[in-house]
Amino acid sequence: MIEVLLQYTFMRHALYSGLIIGLIAPLLGVFLVVRRMSMIADALSHVTLTGIAFTLLLAKYFLFFQEMNPMYMGVAFAIAGALLIDRLRQSYRFYQELPIPVILSVGIGLSVVFISLANGFNADLYGYLFGSIIAITRSDLILIQVIGALVVVIIILFYKELFALSFDDEHAQVSGIPRRWINLIFILLAALVIASAMRIVGVLLVSAMITLPVAAALRIAKSFKQCLFYAILFGQCSVLVGLYVAYLYDLAPGGTIVVTACLIWSGVLVGQRLFKTMSV
Amino acid sequence: MSSGQPIVKLENVSFQYDAKRKVLNQINLNIYPGDFLALLGPNGSGKSTLIKLILGLLAPQQGKIYLFGEEQSRFKAWSKIGYVSQKANSFNTGFPATVYEVVASGLFGKAGLFRRLKRKDRETIIKTIQRVGLEHVIHQPIGQLSGGQQQRVFIARALVSQPKLLILDEPLVGVDAESTQRVLELLLTLNGEDGITLLWVSHDIGAVTSNVKQVACLNKTLFFHGDTEQFVNHRKEILAQMYGYDVEIIEHAH
């Protein structure tokens, strides 16, 4: 199967970038889910779209932006959105979830305004909404590789601190962990992962790549390390199987990857139930 | 009473969440090495707030706090202080972590950034888990443990950094009889043999006074701080003063 896929450059790009996202999205997703912050993925992916729409608008007036990869502006907007959410969470200490729907809807509102100011809806934009893994360019792939390496290295370096803060952030702070800094690094990582995953599965499906493999892993993991392992395993399987099936039957790759992840998740749930009934 | 330099010193500490209501007023309190102090007070008396001030989770509007002789803002050796919070009873039981992983997290702050745990650290973690009697569930997810066992996990997490001072906020609330007994025995050995200073926050007067050496009574201000014997002898007057009316103590059998 792999040989068939790798004959084409676009399939190679799709496979490599898909596997990187299938690694970093669930890896970060585990931390987001256990901290009950998974909704942040949705908010930041919509803000990423705002950045992309903004580039399309600028491209109408400035030649420079026609040459620029819209992903760069998407990443920049996601980072700004992440910082804003972080800031707002400080000011609404008792309504910490409130900034998320606010940023989400402002993000989509601004996107629509920018799109209408540009030339209206076009095929490019459709790709950003639902993913366009087979349209991944060399510059997209390089960006995804850089982000992937950065995310993995930072999570390994700060694994202890991220674990302690996720489990009990008050205790982590009392034991001398620099809570503010680590949380800031974490939310910036989230922005990077989400902005890059968006290219693969699209704005509307990003949170599926972050949460579905984790939802399945949570059911069977006996420890935190196991949870990370299973989430990444399910993420990789979803990308490989989803991409292959999409290629075979000419389906939308982003959607097929998400549906595969969903099937793995339901498989785990059903399998667990069967196992329980049999062992009774 | 105890001698030496106090390891916790509160000087005229006042705190309020909003302008109208003072939660703590002019608190002066010294805790000395080797103390086993119970901080008693009714619900809403500011006990947990006082603990959060000592731990630096909140900052007082007035007054000064010294830890191990250092001003709190300059204090860095947080691993000298172990903390078992009341919240421990209501944590996310679905969190996918084993007893070992949770206890290990108590060492992360001490280890510092970019440092991995060493073999000696792993031995300390296992020994600490044995100390609270949970070695048989060491690799089980904490969500599968009983409430009392979970509380012992949190005590182990606080102990693993080998603190000099252990602060426990209502450690026996929601804990079964077996774990209560184990925790009490453990606290007595920690104070008696290991020489760890203990601060035990509780609203349950009977359960505490049969075990501790000193008592402090708090209801927005400090009403009493002295030896347990002294407290027991004058209990009625102290409590009447603290609550503002006469109270009858219902004896617990222990």
Side-chain angles (χ1 to χ4, degrees):
Chain A
M1 141 187 172
I2 304 286
E3 292 95 72
V4 185
L5 289 175
L6 292 181
Q7 278 170 5
Y8 308 100
T9 318
F10 76 91
M11 270 323 265
R12 257 202 321 269
H13 286 173
L15 185 67
Y16 294 154
S17 52
L19 288 177
I20 294 172
I21 299 305
L23 167 73
I24 60 175
L27 174 63
L28 191 96
V30 171
F31 291 98
L32 279 175
V33 169
V34 296
R35 302 184 92 174
R36 306 190 191 286
M37 280 168 69
S38 51
M39 282 301 291
I40 250 179
D42 260 323
L44 291 182
S45 71
H46 285 82
V47 174
T48 312
L49 181 69
T50 314
I52 286 163
F54 189 54
T55 318
L56 297 180
L57 172 62
L58 290 176
K60 196 177 159 190
Y61 299 104
F62 305 101
L63 195 64
F64 171 75
F65 288 99
Q66 287 177 11
E67 305 292 319
M68 196 178 94
N69 186 340
M71 282 274 286
Y72 297 153
M73 192 72 88
V75 171
F77 269 60
I79 288 174
L83 293 175
L84 196 60
I85 289 179
D86 187 55
R87 186 76 209 81
L88 288 172
R89 280 165 76 98
Q90 314 287 319
S91 357
Y92 286 91
R93 275 189 49 222
F94 299 102
Y95 297 95
Q96 290 216 339
E97 80 291 356
L98 185 59
I100 294 173
V102 169
I103 296 288
L104 187 149
S105 25
V106 172
I108 200 84
L110 271 177
S111 309
V112 173
V113 169
F114 289 152
I115 290 166
S116 62
L117 282 174
N119 284 328
F121 224 79
N122 60 30
D124 273 1
L125 222 42
Y126 185 86
Y128 287 109
L129 281 180
F130 298 103
S132 52
I133 192 168
I134 47 172
I136 297 259
T137 61
R138 213 181 138 61
S139 103
D140 288 337
L141 179 61
I142 291 170
L143 184 64
I144 289 171
Q145 281 168 337
V146 170
I147 289 178
L150 202 66
V151 169
V152 170
V153 167
I154 291 181
I155 288 187
I156 289 172
L157 279 180
F158 292 102
Y159 175 79
K160 295 196 317 288
E161 287 76 16
L162 288 171
F163 173 85
L165 279 169
S166 305
F167 182 70
D168 182 344
D169 80 340
E170 188 183 66
H171 190 273
Q173 193 183 359
V174 167
S175 68
I177 287 171
R179 169 163 168 259
R180 276 296 291 136
W181 284 108
I182 305 287
N183 276 345
L184 190 66
I185 292 171
F186 177 68
I187 201 158
L188 290 176
L189 282 187
L192 290 178
V193 170
I194 289 153
S196 52
M198 201 206 60
R199 196 76 180 99
I200 311 295
V201 285
V203 171
L204 302 174
L205 298 175
V206 162
S207 66
M209 272 314 280
I210 302 242
T211 51
L212 274 175
V214 182
L218 275 175
R219 302 294 304 193
I220 47 178
K222 297 264 178 286
S223 71
F224 197 72
K225 291 223 163 102
Q226 267 187 27
C227 190
L228 289 171
F229 172 79
Y230 285 125
I232 292 168
L233 180 73
F234 295 150
Q236 298 291 305
C237 292
S238 311
V239 168
L240 277 175
V241 175
L243 210 50
Y244 186 62
V245 171
Y247 170 79
L248 277 187
Y249 299 101
D250 196 22
L251 304 169
T256 316
I257 290 173
V258 171
V259 170
T260 312
C262 183
L263 287 175
I264 292 175
W265 174 60
S266 3
V268 167
L269 289 184
V270 172
Q272 230 181 6
R273 175 142 302 178
L274 284 178
F275 185 74
K276 261 189 199 143
T277 9
M278 287 204 321
S279 55
V280 164
Chain B
M1 257 179 74
S2 321
S3 57
Q5 193 195 30
I7 56 176
V8 176
K9 184 179 172 73
L10 276 75
E11 248 177 35
N12 289 319
V13 169
S14 295
F15 179 83
Q16 53 201 53
Y17 286 100
D18 51 57
K20 286 177 211 135
R21 224 164 34 94
K22 268 224 158 110
V23 181
L24 291 170
N25 196 9
Q26 300 281 324
I27 307 287
N28 285 293
L29 178 69
N30 288 338
I31 303 174
Y32 292 92
D35 278 7
F36 188 168
L37 172 67
L39 182 63
L40 300 176
N43 289 324
S45 57
K47 301 182 303 278
S48 293
T49 305
L50 187 72
I51 298 309
K52 287 190 170 147
L53 287 167
I54 294 175
L55 293 166
L57 291 168
L58 296 171
Q61 274 89 4
Q62 276 173 37
K64 283 203 163 148
I65 298 170
Y66 298 90
L67 299 172
F68 296 88
E70 246 179 303
E71 214 174 299
Q72 194 193 43
S73 55
R74 286 202 214 117
F75 184 73
K76 288 276 184 297
W78 287 105
S79 62
K80 282 189 187 167
I81 301 177
Y83 172 48
V84 181
S85 74
Q86 200 177 355
K87 210 183 59 189
N89 297 309
S90 58
F91 76 105
N92 170 10
T93 47
F95 197 97
T98 61
V99 170
Y100 181 91
E101 284 175 318
V102 173
V103 174
S105 76
L107 271 180
F108 291 168
K110 191 183 190 180
L113 295 173
F114 312 122
R115 294 219 182 85
R116 305 191 51 181
L117 296 186
K118 302 189 179 73
R119 179 199 279 197
K120 219 180 111 219
D121 296 322
R122 288 195 286 274
E123 282 165 8
T124 313
I125 294 164
I126 292 167
K127 264 188 217 142
T128 314
I129 292 171
Q130 286 167 343
R131 219 159 168 195
V132 296
L134 291 176
E135 61 277 17
H136 58 293
V137 289
I138 189 164
H139 293 301
Q140 267 184 38
I142 40 152
Q144 290 178 3
L145 272 52
S146 74
Q149 288 175 324
Q150 284 167 355
Q151 189 65 298
R152 277 143 69 190
V153 173
F154 294 120
I155 292 174
R157 178 180 64 172
L159 284 178
V160 75
S161 66
Q162 291 159 322
K164 303 259 185 291
L165 167 68
L166 182 63
I167 299 175
L168 306 109
D169 196 352
E170 304 274 9
L172 297 181
V173 170
V175 168
D176 53 278
E178 190 219 324
S179 285
T180 298
Q181 197 48 43
R182 278 207 87 108
V183 169
L184 281 176
E185 279 166 18
L186 178 66
L187 293 183
L188 289 169
T189 1
L190 285 172
N191 183 251
E193 286 169 25
D194 304 56
I196 296 177
T197 311
L198 297 179
L199 174 57
W200 178 355
V201 179
S202 179
H203 67 275
D204 186 352
I205 294 163
V208 170
T209 45
S210 42
N211 295 294
V212 300
K213 294 190 206 153
Q214 294 90 15
V215 172
C217 294
L218 182 80
N219 194 0
K220 303 209 162 49
T221 65
L222 206 58
F223 282 88
F224 172 83
H225 180 200
D227 290 342
T228 309
E229 203 185 329
Q230 216 179 333
F231 171 77
V232 173
N233 292 338
H234 302 91
R235 182 156 68 176
K236 219 172 161 213
E237 299 95 286
I238 297 165
L239 293 177
Q241 210 188 0
M242 180 164 84
Y243 286 90
Y245 52 84
D246 267 346
V247 276
E248 275 303 313
I249 305 296
I250 298 156
E251 284 295 340
H252 291 252
H254 282 285

